[in-house]
Amino acid sequence: MQTGIVEEFGTAEGGVGTAVRHQLRIATVNVNGIRAAYKRGMDSWLADRGVDILCLQEVRAPDAIVRKLLGDGWHILHAEAEAKGRAGVAIASRTAPVATRDHIGDEYFLTSGRWVEADFEVPDAEGTKTLTVVSAYVHSGEVDTPKQEDKYRFLDVMTGRLTDLRATRDYALVVGDLNVGHTELDIKNWKGNVKRAGFLPEERAYFDRFFGDGIGWKDVHRGLAGEVPGPYTWWSWRGQAFDNDSGWRIDYHMATPELAALAGNAVVDRAASYDARFSDHAPVVVDYQF
Amino acid sequence: MQTGIVEEFGTAEGGVGTAVRHQLRIATVNVNGIRAAYKRGMDSWLADRGVDILCLQEVRAPDAIVRKLLGDGWHILHAEAEAKGRAGVAIASRTAPVATRDHIGDEYFLTSGRWVEADFEVPDAEGTKTLTVVSAYVHSGEVDTPKQEDKYRFLDVMTGRLTDLRATRDYALVVGDLNVGHTELDIKNWKGNVKRAGFLPEERAYFDRFFGDGIGWKDVHRGLAGEVPGPYTWWSWRGQAFDNDSGWRIDYHMATPELAALAGNAVVDRAASYDARFSDHAPVVVDYQF
DNA sequence: CATGGTAAG
DNA sequence: CTTATCATG
């Protein structure tokens, strides 16, 4: 939590008072192995960036190693996958969450290391409110394999959870590597990928529903950036994909409309200013002003 | 084959003639993965060293890759292990062998990638003779595991082959990573290793027999260096073993007495003069003058 | 083209 | 501590 920004506001009584406004800087990043990311300089990125809530995907390390690498000063919620060295999501926050949950759905995704939720108290005009933050890692998928079945199964469960969260909270945020590009603006070479996992019509239809009137979530970065290509958040390690910015926008901030209205300063940290690219994904950082 | 060295000698007829003496420089090196070794500068070592017959162990790469890395100008005999990325021995020679064999024993070691033989023609007072060169890779072993059983089984088969070679050839040479230190001179910290694979009494007894009167082979480097500690040929990657020269002499040139008599200039290329250590083993290079 | 776990050394 | 393979991304 950053030092509050003091500003004047009109009170309900019609007088003039002073209130502390709180800004939360929330970052999501698929680190593709937190050990490798730290070797490549993730620590200096994190030290510079002033993040309040850090959501990680593909942690791919035991809990003890994650705590050692992040160091003191973080409350860490970490859902490891049962399979060692695979998946794993976490939420590291500078203030303690008031409640946490570590999976969605039934037994099938119980130990998949793909979903964690943390509830935080945030200030509100009426006092305080609950902000639920989710770090999510949707399956990569692969056409005509069981991996794609698992991906749809997870997206189904996720649909249910998004519906529930939307119905029960004003402030909820689902961030992470969702492994689907929603529109043609979200993939550099979309025509070449219409038959590939990550841009299949059936996958994109889920996101139409997530962001449609029925479920009613908002794509925060798209809302702030406007209808322009990108900004991409993942580039293959192969060839010159990164240098050519031949990427995919598959890492999202999905917010309830009430929360999306508080968002600003959305940035993909494409590592130009840092020593090195520390993952094949770049962090997506957004400030929320309460 | 290096350019012959011209020297005078007395002929059988009592006259004085001129003959070309041939020197063969034979090197053995456990490369611990030829791809990794080339990344670390094995190519410049090889280009500098003037080797005529290069015997490799732990090649750990498919045949096509070995041929590409060594480049043109070599006749390559390569026994891959059935298990990909494991073991693998080779003999690369500047002149073509006249016969080759790629295993010893029965089916059990047929595809283990641990033994190759190549026959070369070398000049002799009487005309030409056959020189058999073997590149051997004995199991590392591990006490109280099936690996140690395999090691003894291989040493048994090797005993038989050494006996046969000794009986049928004047010139035979077995080089390679034999994974046993013969005497207390062959391991820096021998006292700490008497119960460890590589210096077990039962293993050392095989080498007593190999180099004893019965089978009658000669330890070429020990013969030339004398009864002094080392020179070691392998150092653990861990800690400062290499810098402290805390090593093992487990890479040998084993020659028939007739061949050992022609040996000189035995050197362990401990990489001081090269850019880097390209394996955990150093090459052992010996010149044989026919 | 990279990750980590694994077996092997 | 390093090797290569493997499944995964």
Side-chain angles (χ1 to χ4, degrees), chain B residues 1 24 98 118-132 168-172 256-259 262 290:
Chain B
M1 193 89 64
L24 281 180
V98 295
D119 294 342
F120 298 93
E121 285 213 325
V122 292
D124 182 77
E126 299 143 37
T128 64
K129 251 187 185 167
T130 296
L131 162 69
T132 295
T168 56
R169 276 138 172 107
D170 286 339
Y171 294 161
T256 53
E258 295 81 357
L259 181 63
L262 308 184
F290 296 91

Side-chain angles (χ1 to χ4, degrees), chain A residues 84 104-105 156:
Chain A
K84 283 196 284 186
I104 44 172
D156 286 336

